[in-house]
Amino acid sequence: MPITEILPRDIAVPVAHPLHSPGARVQLRHAGRSFGGNRVLADLDLEVAPGEFLSIVGKSGCGKSTLLRLIAGLDQPSSGSVLVDGVAANRAGDRLRLMFQEPRLLPWASVADNVAVGLRTGPDPEAVAEALRAVELGDKAGFWPAQLSGGQRQRAALARALVSHPGLLLLDEPLGALDALTRLTMQKLIRNMHERAGFTAVLVTHDVSEAVALSDRIIVLGRGGILSETRIARDRPHTAAELAEIEAGILDAIFAA
Amino acid sequence: MSLAETLNRARFAGWRPGLPSAQSLLPYAVPAAILLLWELAGATGYLSDTVMPRPSTILATGARMTASGELVNHLGVSAARALAGLVVGGGIGFALGVANGVSRRSELLTDTTLQMVRNIPHLALIPLVILWFGIGEGAKLFLVALGVFFPIYLNTLHGIRNVDPQLIEMGRAYGMNGRTLFRRVVLPGALPSIFVGLRYGLGIMWLTLIVAETLSASSGLGYMAMQAREFMVLDVVVLAILLYAALGKLADTLTRALERRVLKWSPAYANH
Ligand SMILES: Nc1ncnc2c1ncn2[C@@H]1O[C@H](COP(=O)(O)OP(=O)(O)O)[C@@H](O)[C@H]1O
Ligand SMILES: [Mg+2]
């Protein structure tokens, strides 16, 4: 696939600022979640290291979003524990930020005001301007969301998620609704931001090549829990053939279930 | 904010103040033609002044009554009643709409009662209201407020209920709590619907006021018209009717202008 050639996966990104938040550590211990009698996740053990980029793939309905909501603290495990930097996820507060499949911008607020929603404490126009520049929306600060394209809206949502320099970024199929070309640009942007800012990232996606393009580690989730785990070393470039092979292996694991 | 305004201004770049285009005058062509025909029919005797006075007669009457201060007085009284009823009824409607929109318990407590009251045409209460309040200001205020209450209550409630739940989840995930969430997400999201309620409410406001003033009042446009009827002064009757129409149009225009300002973020208003 040409994707792997378009995306420079070993770009040496200049270290921009010393404000990096060190990434957060995520720990799931025997975590389970049932809805009524429907046990979606059971006895899940998973650890995400600070600064790691982890992707979760798997068939539709296998519990990827449920897992992400547990880590986000939007939902509580029925059993076991979910910890972010050693505290229960629902008390991790603004150490973590979430990006949804839809941009979910406030239509009545300017792009800059939408990004400011992500700030932890009082107004900070400089941080907002910097976050917008980082996603290449520096000239759109005064626009209404309705005046942006789909890709620009999702970039504004990314700026909102990162403006407070979170330790953990959670992404639930954030690029699923974008066209193929915009998706590639966004993947590159997310990977750049990750390497620059050093946050931990957990991405849920149904697109295996997207997971391969972005992640340090990919897990395949299924009814039986974690079905497979693949590490992709980022310290050297991979050939297209290598990446295609990795991708094929992951697809096999998904469909073997 | 500033950039969006600049863009909007750029859209109006072709528009020169002081020179209304043919396009903008078009809506007034039909009313103007009617006035002209009406005047001609009166002047040539086709339309008797005892059935329908001519526009020029009405205009003269209006000028005379303005000069004497009589008209301004009645107009002021009517406008004050309308405004008071709008503020009281609209205020309570908004407050209850918000309360029932955000609190399930509040809704359970009051909504069924309000729905029952809604089924009583408020003008049917006039005999009762006159018994209670006589022909004092209380009667008019009560009726107008009751009439305005429902559209604003219902549309506020509907607006709040229909705020995108995904935006609310986003707000929560970004640490907004009750009050902030309401101010930044729920209320702005409900505003388009609240404006619909306000515009309906204004229509009911004038209607109620006309009826109430016609039946029982000692001042105001409706009283002016009824008194003129007693003395068979037809031009004053028609003048009062036209003034009601003008006031209604004025209120609607002001609301639309406000709406365009407040909802300028919406693509639905971007081209106006
Ligand atoms: N709030 C909920 N109530 C009941 N069932 C749920 C709820 N959330 C998710 N589920 C169920 O959990 C399963 C996994 O859902 P989800 O995590 O959204 O899957 P995925 O994101 O992998 O497509 C589905 O069968 C879904 O019906
Ligand atoms: Mg999902």
Side-chain angles (χ1 to χ4, degrees), chain A residues 68 72 74 96-100 160-161 169-172, chain B residues 173-174:
Chain A
L68 206 71
L74 290 175
L96 63 86
R97 286 300 190 209
L98 192 57
M99 213 176 141
F100 309 90
R160 176 180 64 191
L169 179 66
L170 303 173
L171 308 124
D172 194 350
Chain B
Y174 276 80

Side-chain angles (χ1 to χ4, degrees), chain B residues 10-269:
Chain B
R11 232 182 246 129
F12 287 101
W15 187 77
R16 268 163 294 148
L19 291 174
S21 64
Q23 183 84 12
S24 70
L25 288 178
L26 203 54
Y28 300 100
V30 174
I34 290 175
L35 281 179
L36 198 66
L37 281 177
W38 180 0
E39 181 69 38
L40 282 175
T44 53
Y46 278 104
L47 195 61
S48 161
D49 270 358
T50 55
V51 174
M52 193 64 166
R54 275 179 269 164
S56 57
T57 316
I58 298 166
L59 203 65
T61 307
R64 182 173 45 77
M65 292 180 75
T66 307
S68 72
E70 197 182 345
L71 190 60
V72 178
N73 185 33
H74 287 305
L75 229 152
V77 168
S78 289
R81 284 175 185 152
L83 197 66
L86 176 68
V87 168
V88 172
I92 298 175
F94 176 74
L96 267 175
V98 167
N100 291 0
V102 299
S103 156
R104 182 89 193 118
R105 184 172 301 191
S106 168
E107 191 198 4
L108 281 175
L109 185 68
T110 58
D111 191 62
T112 305
T113 314
L114 291 172
Q115 296 297 341
M116 286 185 327
V117 176
R118 187 165 78 99
N119 286 311
I120 306 169
H122 67 296
L123 294 179
L125 296 177
I126 286 177
L128 194 60
V129 170
I130 292 179
L131 280 176
W132 286 345
F133 297 98
I135 62 164
E137 289 308 308
K140 262 83 70 186
L141 181 66
F142 180 86
L143 285 170
V144 174
L146 189 64
V148 169
F149 170 85
F150 281 103
I152 294 192
Y153 166 71
L154 292 172
N155 284 284
T156 303
L157 181 61
H158 175 264
I160 288 182
R161 278 299 152 70
N162 284 283
V163 174
D164 184 355
Q166 291 192 331
L167 285 184
I168 294 179
E169 190 189 43
M170 182 282 296
R172 290 232 164 84
Y174 276 80
M176 293 185 199
N177 52 23
R179 191 165 299 207
T180 327
L181 196 65
F182 180 77
R183 191 170 50 78
R184 298 184 71 176
V185 181
V186 179
L187 186 60
L191 266 186
S193 178
I194 294 174
F195 266 104
V196 171
L198 179 61
R199 298 239 306 271
Y200 268 106
L202 287 176
I204 293 182
M205 173 185 85
W206 289 119
L207 182 75
T208 312
L209 193 66
I210 295 167
V211 175
E213 283 189 346
T214 307
L215 289 179
S216 71
S218 53
S219 59
L221 286 178
Y223 168 77
M224 185 180 97
M226 282 316 279
Q227 214 188 21
R229 183 199 58 104
E230 299 235 327
F231 298 105
M232 305 276 269
V233 195
L234 208 51
D235 46 351
V236 176
V237 174
V238 180
L239 179 65
I241 294 170
L242 290 181
L243 280 175
Y244 271 127
L247 284 175
K249 175 71 182 156
L250 180 69
D252 195 59
T253 305
L254 288 177
T255 318
R256 276 173 196 271
L258 183 68
E259 193 174 4
R260 263 200 298 282
R261 254 189 90 81
V262 175
L263 305 182
K264 59 178 188 265
W265 51 268
S266 163
Y269 295 90

